[in-house]
């Protein structure tokens, strides 16, 4: 067993704080400190400082759906225009429930809210009302958040 592989190796050639050595199979090689924001990765078996690519956000939009009924047990389909110039992927869409001025009630329950489909124009969601509001004509809305290109 090569004992040089099992011990730390220091050289006098380190010039900057953060410089280090790595074993390249037969000899120790210097690796200079990276710059702020860089990460150390293995590239073809060699430790290399690289810059992580920035997240690329194409579009962000929030949309409020039209009112939908919550005064009956049913699976309700809610179709809402997203207003984007790109077609979002289904996983780019998040849904939450919002109160409506036409039925500000809390006596209902939902089994699920899911994105059914997305196209170049609309987000189609399904809302499962499992316990209806006792208030006739009670309504709710969906808050739709779309973040594409991340």
């Amino acid at each position: 067993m090569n004992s040089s592989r099992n011990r730390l190796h220091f050289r006098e050639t380190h010039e900057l704080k953060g410089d280090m050595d790595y074993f390249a199979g037969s000899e120790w090689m210097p690796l200079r400190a990276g710059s702020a924001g860089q990460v150390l990765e293995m590239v073809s078996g060699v430790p290399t400082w690289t810059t992580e690519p920035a997240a690329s956000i194409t579009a962000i939009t929030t949309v409020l759906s039209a009112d939908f009924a919550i005064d009956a047990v049913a699976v309700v389909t809610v179709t809402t225009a997203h207003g984007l110039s790109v077609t979002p992927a289904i996983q780019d869409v998040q849904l939450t429930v919002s109160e409506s001025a036409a039925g500000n009630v809390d006596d209902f329950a939902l089994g699920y809210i899911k994105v059914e489909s997305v196209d170049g124009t609309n987000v189609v969601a399904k809302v499962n009302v499992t316990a209806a509001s006792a208030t006739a004509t009670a309504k709710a809305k969906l808050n739709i958040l779309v973040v594409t290109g991340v």
Side-chain angles (χ1 to χ4, degrees), residues 11-137:
R11 300 205 279 182
E12 299 298 322
T13 59
H14 293 164
E15 297 175 9
L16 300 173
K17 183 176 181 179
D19 285 354
M20 63 183 103
D21 291 339
Y22 68 94
F23 193 71
S26 61
E27 64 182 316
W28 289 95
M29 301 295 295
L31 180 63
R32 301 289 179 228
S35 301
Q38 288 188 310
V39 294
L40 191 58
E41 291 185 324
M42 294 298 286
V43 177
S44 301
V46 177
T48 306
W49 291 105
T50 61
T51 302
E52 284 191 296
S56 171
I57 296 177
T58 304
I60 298 175
T61 191
T62 55
V63 181
L64 195 58
S65 77
D67 288 346
F68 63 91
I70 55 173
D71 61 352
V73 172
V75 175
V76 181
T77 301
V78 181
T79 302
T80 307
H82 54 67
L84 295 170
S85 60
V86 297
T87 300
I90 202 164
Q91 67 268 18
D92 293 336
V93 181
Q94 296 180 19
L95 305 172
T96 56
V97 177
S98 179
E99 294 181 339
S100 168
N104 189 0
V105 296
D106 291 327
D107 64 339
F108 67 99
L110 302 178
Y112 63 80
I113 305 167
K114 70 176 185 173
V115 179
E116 182 77 8
S117 65
V118 181
D119 62 25
T121 305
N122 295 312
V123 173
V124 179
K126 296 279 186 172
V127 181
N128 182 7
V129 181
T130 56
S133 171
T135 304
T137 70

